[in-house]
Structure formats: C-alpha cells, structure tokens
Amino acid sequence: MTDSDPTDAEAACFEAGIKFGTLYHQFAGTPVAPASAPSLATAMEEAIENQPHCTDVTVDVRTEALEAELADSAADYTELTGRFLEVEIVVDYEGCEVVTRMEMDEGYPLMRVESVRGRD
C-alpha cells in the first residue's frame, strides 16, 4: 500500500456515497402518496441492498410530511424528494463498516457519515 492508495475506511465511505447517489437520483421524482410510501420504501431498500458491499438499508418515507404537502393540493400524490426521506445505509468493505444517514437538516436533505468501524 502506498500513501496514494485509499484505506479500506476511505473505500467504504466511497461505496456508501455511491449507494446514496444511486438511491437519491434513481428515485427522486417518483410519484408517491401516503398509501404507497411503505411499498416505495421497501423497493428502495431492496434495490440498494443489491449493490456490492451494502449490508443494510433502511428507508423511512416521512408520511406526515407527505400528508402536509398534499393537504392543500388537488392531487392525491406528489413527487418524491429528499425532504420526504430518512435513510440509513450500512456498507461493509473489507471488514470496515460505515454507517451513513440522510435526514433533513435546516430544510436540506443532508447525507453524512455517522460512524466508521474497523479502520486501518
């Protein structure tokens, strides 16, 4: 290993970023309603868990936020955006576990690394 080679922890964080990019950009804009939110969350979890090194995905579609969005709307659904999601993704790369999370932070869906275990 040279100084320019990524550590396993850095590679695990990169893998987690790839999973979040896929999750967010694959599903953003999907029509969603409070009644369809659970099945959409399951589909998102299962799709992302198919990716290499991904050991766990938890998606919570914030139905109370959906209901508030739809309260004054003529439509029965809206498009999925980050403000309706809370997500946790766990990646294990070469024994290095990275826990990442996306949740609203001051009106922005912030993605961040929560913890890194098994660093080099």
Side-chain angles (χ1 to χ4, degrees):
M1 180 178 216
T2 67
D3 287 340
S4 62
D5 290 338
T7 66
D8 288 344
E10 290 167 335
C13 289
F14 174 80
E15 286 291 336
I18 294 297
K19 278 48 167 172
F20 263 116
T22 301
L23 180 137
Y24 194 89
H25 294 290
Q26 179 176 347
F27 291 98
T30 300
V32 62
S36 66
S39 63
L40 179 58
T42 298
M44 294 171 75
E45 291 168 353
E46 291 177 358
I48 302 306
E49 284 175 347
N50 284 324
Q51 294 186 38
H53 312 294
C54 191
T55 59
D56 190 44
V57 179
T58 304
V59 175
D60 178 31
V61 179
R62 299 174 57 230
T63 53
E64 70 285 349
L66 281 175
E67 290 167 351
E69 175 82 8
L70 295 171
D72 296 326
S73 175
D76 294 343
Y77 70 96
T78 189
E79 65 183 61
L80 185 66
T81 66
R83 72 181 186 272
F84 300 121
L85 294 174
E86 291 181 1
V87 181
E88 181 178 278
I89 297 176
V90 180
V91 167
D92 187 317
Y93 180 84
E94 299 295 324
C96 183
E97 182 185 79
V98 174
V99 178
T100 56
R101 177 173 301 285
M102 181 181 82
E103 57 193 3
M104 293 301 291
D105 186 0
E106 296 184 22
Y108 183 78
L110 185 65
M111 300 171 198
R112 66 175 172 267
V113 174
E114 289 285 309
S115 65
V116 179
R117 294 187 197 111
R119 297 178 186 202
D120 294 320

